[in-house]
Amino acid sequence: MMNEKQVIALSGQHSQLLIKVGEAPEICYWGKPVSGDVSQFINALSRPVPYGRLDKDVPMTLSPELARGLFSSPGLEGHRDGKDWAPAFAVIDIDQCADNGLALTAEDTVAGLRLVTELNLDQHDVVKVRHTLINTKAGVYQVNRFANTLPLPERANELMTYYGRWVHEFQTVRQALPQGGYQQENRRGRTSHEHYPALVAGTTHFGEQQGEVWGFHFAWSGNHRLRVDVKADGRRFMQAEAIYLPGEIALAEGESLSTPWLYASYSADGLNGMSHHFHQHVRHSILTNEMKAKTRPIHLNTWEGIYFDHDPAYIEQMASQAAEMGVERFIIDDGWFKGRNGDKAALGDWFLDESKYPNGLAPIIEHVNKLGMEFGLWFEPEMINKDSDLYRSHPEWLLAVEGYEQPTGRNQYALDLSNHDAFEFVLARLDHFLSHYNIAYIKWDMNREIVQPGHQGKASGHQQVELYYQLVDKLRAKHPLVEIESCAAGGGRIDFEVLKRTHRFWASDNNDALERQQIQRGMSYFFPPEVMGSHIGASHCHSTRRRHSINFRGLTALFGHMGIELDPVRECDEEKQGFEKYIQLHKSLRELLHTGKTLRLPADDPAHLIHAVVADDQSQAVVMVAQLAMPTNSLSGTLRLVGLNPDANYQISLVDQPNNFFEGIVSCQPAWCYEGIHLSGEWCDSVGLAMPIMDAESAILIKLEQI
Ligand code: DGJ
């Protein structure tokens, strides 16, 4: 047992963690890097003990324990036939790892449990933490709750949290952190549109560029609970956990359970600083190796173009036109497999529909490849319709509890992945297509929520998620170069654990540029643009029935992994020229957009959203100003461009604007819009440029190049 208290420092570029390890580990500092004798921190931060409570100080440890007198939500709740329910773990081993991390082993010999805590701070200032529990005694240990806990300082008193729904993902809301704390629970069986598993705590009025913030992302694709608690003594902490269904986690002697990883980052430079840390972490540690070097090709996805109406000759025409516009990957979405003529039948029957494709898939793939494009195909592997050959021969493969009727979602049910034969069947069907055809990419969809995840009568919600990960992993092991887009009715399953095994997310089924501006902004706090699928849809948006110009649609889709989602054959020449223009623009900026630093810039007019990407070496940048609604005033103030090199000079030019920008809506625009201008980075940041006048639902693009 470690009676001697010691302080271990984990240092990043812009943040530091000081961990006091005695009997139990406590993070006593998480903020800007500090220098000096760390051993002094123990005294500097030793707390007073007030009257009216326990007679000794109780540390806020990495896994709070009732047995130590910490009256907070415990890190672990469980029992062994009603006993061993309030463990207290004592650290027996500290392993300082080469990757700026710690592995702490702690034991409770009475309860017969061991707890291993892994904690790392990477070079991009992202902390990751998880616990593993091992049952070391005879008898089954039933785990009810098992959480990750990180402390917050008392000055963290505001929150940015998320809400949303289908076609309205990643909406953010600001709120004060009240005495009662904050809690969000997701019980939808997947990451969910409603409760994206992340939040940010910060100092009063924290913003994009200012304030201290502590951001958290919980990498788990099932049910979860996030809380930020304010204790009665004012101390506060963030806690994240997978929610287990009754009885589903039972550890026999020698068995273990790990929590999902909790990712977190401190920034002294507001939300932009935090996002940069997470984006760099995603780029360097989450995304798989083979993907890092590859340029992300422009997509054409058939879904909103033809839905279930598949005719190979027509699809080949679509492909030819797509290639002419500069598309680099052509994806056939839902509707290609046996009996899939609408969304009521056929899920599970992963065989080509020969009535639609009498000559097979190969001729289309060859056509697409000859045009110089990669080919992609849609699947929804975890699902089954009752109206399918699969269900008719295996009704027992449904994820359900006998005796209860499962409600349908999009007319479908989930497959019980804990059923070995069901798991192997789906894997074999996917493997068949990837082995027999030149498929470079699959879109992996998941269109319903999980209600009663049952396997042989017992709850298996946690296992269903783990088996989904295994299914993707096994397929990837066989086909490591096939890229996967993760989709769940748009953005219903977007998290780091999914991203470790996929390459791109379909952010939303909403291609309306106005809505997308907000959705993409919300997503940008934790994800870099290259993993966010962002498509130009038809001028008449299918999900909102709004109409938008090609300028607004094109510039909105530019700041992601760009694609087109419509039927090019039916589009008029003017629209086609627009698609081609924005595809070329994206290609010319792609490297900058997909490697640079994302910044959400301040706006004088609340009707603006301003989004920028600055090159790592600050030699160039692009800025999009989106006018979401009518300008609030007749003039819109100045555009301040932060994040540039203050000592460098930049050539600033307007690269794209709506058709009526120079005439029709104004007598004249600011002088720089006509001829461009040279300005220093310092001027751009401190003084800025006069903002032009713009119509609602339009955007402009500005390019800055160092001279
Ligand atoms: C939901 C997805 O989000 C859409 O993009 C599309 O793939 C449909 N499913 C197909 O059924």
Side-chain angles (χ1 to χ4, degrees), residues 513 516-517 520 534 551-560 624:
R516 272 288 182 142
Q517 284 284 339
Q520 296 182 180
S534 186
N551 152 266
F552 194 41
R553 286 178 286 144
L555 289 188
T556 302
L558 196 77
F559 282 77
M624 169 178 55

Side-chain angles (χ1 to χ4, degrees), residues 30-43:
W30 179 21
K32 282 185 199 165
V34 285
S35 53
D37 178 0
V38 289
S39 63
Q40 289 299 311
F41 286 109
I42 292 183
N43 287 342

Side-chain angles (χ1 to χ4, degrees), residues 166 301 303-304 308 333-335 340 343 378 380 410 443 445-447 487-491 506 508-509 565:
W166 176 66
N301 180 297
W303 179 239
E304 291 197 356
F308 296 103
D333 207 283
D334 196 356
R340 187 68 169 169
D343 67 8
W378 179 95
E380 195 176 355
R410 206 193 189 203
K443 179 171 169 186
D445 209 342
M446 196 274 199
N447 282 300
C487 172
W506 183 227
S508 177
D509 275 347
E565 185 154 338

